[in-house]
Amino acid sequence: MNLIILLLPIIAIVLMFRSQKKRQQQMQQMQTSLEPGAGVRTIGGLYAQVKAVNEETVELEIAPGVVTYFTKSAIAAVLDRQEYDAIINGRPADDEPAEPEVEDADAAPAEDKPLTLTKESAEKGDAEGGAPASK
């Protein structure tokens, strides 16, 4: 009985070290597999595309023409192309664009006059499509 009480914490510690070592190996493998053009997610939740991989840093393009530098350890996940496209564009790459919605024939026609916010339209009020008169 006393032997079980002594062995149980030792077994738990061994299992914790083993799982942590496995996670470190996976992270190391992911960091070495980084290549330009891959989509990634940083530990801060930023989605970006890899532009260049240096010895300890990675150049990430977070918007067209905007390149930032991150350490390799700041990369949480490397995403496959379809998953990255679905996150960035809101749809998978192989989906076709949705067809435009058909308007109801019973709906009131929309006015073609653009909304203007000039002093004259403010005096006219909302009746003619202008901004409401200020008090």
Side-chain angles (χ1 to χ4, degrees), residues 98-102:
E99 298 199 14
E101 295 180 16
V102 179

Side-chain angles (χ1 to χ4, degrees), residues 15-59:
L15 290 176
M16 286 190 312
F17 281 124
R18 184 175 173 209
S19 66
Q20 184 170 348
K21 186 175 181 181
K22 188 175 181 179
R23 263 187 266 130
Q24 285 176 342
Q25 287 176 343
Q26 288 176 343
M27 186 65 92
Q28 182 79 19
Q29 182 182 8
M30 186 259 321
Q31 289 175 0
T32 58
S33 70
L34 285 174
E35 59 185 32
V40 296
R41 184 183 69 237
T42 66
I43 57 175
L46 180 80
Y47 291 93
Q49 192 170 28
V50 177
K51 285 298 174 186
V53 180
N54 303 320
E55 191 173 317
E56 293 191 21
T57 61
V58 180
E59 295 178 23

Side-chain angles (χ1 to χ4, degrees), residues 113 118-133:
K113 295 172 73 176
T118 61
K119 191 172 186 178
E120 294 170 359
S121 65
E123 292 171 357
K124 293 177 185 175
D126 201 27
E128 294 184 22

Side-chain angles (χ1 to χ4, degrees), residues 48-74:
Q49 192 170 28
V50 177
K51 285 298 174 186
V53 180
N54 303 320
E55 191 173 317
E56 293 191 21
T57 61
V58 180
E59 295 178 23
L60 300 179
E61 184 175 38
I62 57 175
V66 180
V67 178
T68 59
Y69 296 89
F70 284 83
T71 62
K72 285 184 179 180
S73 62

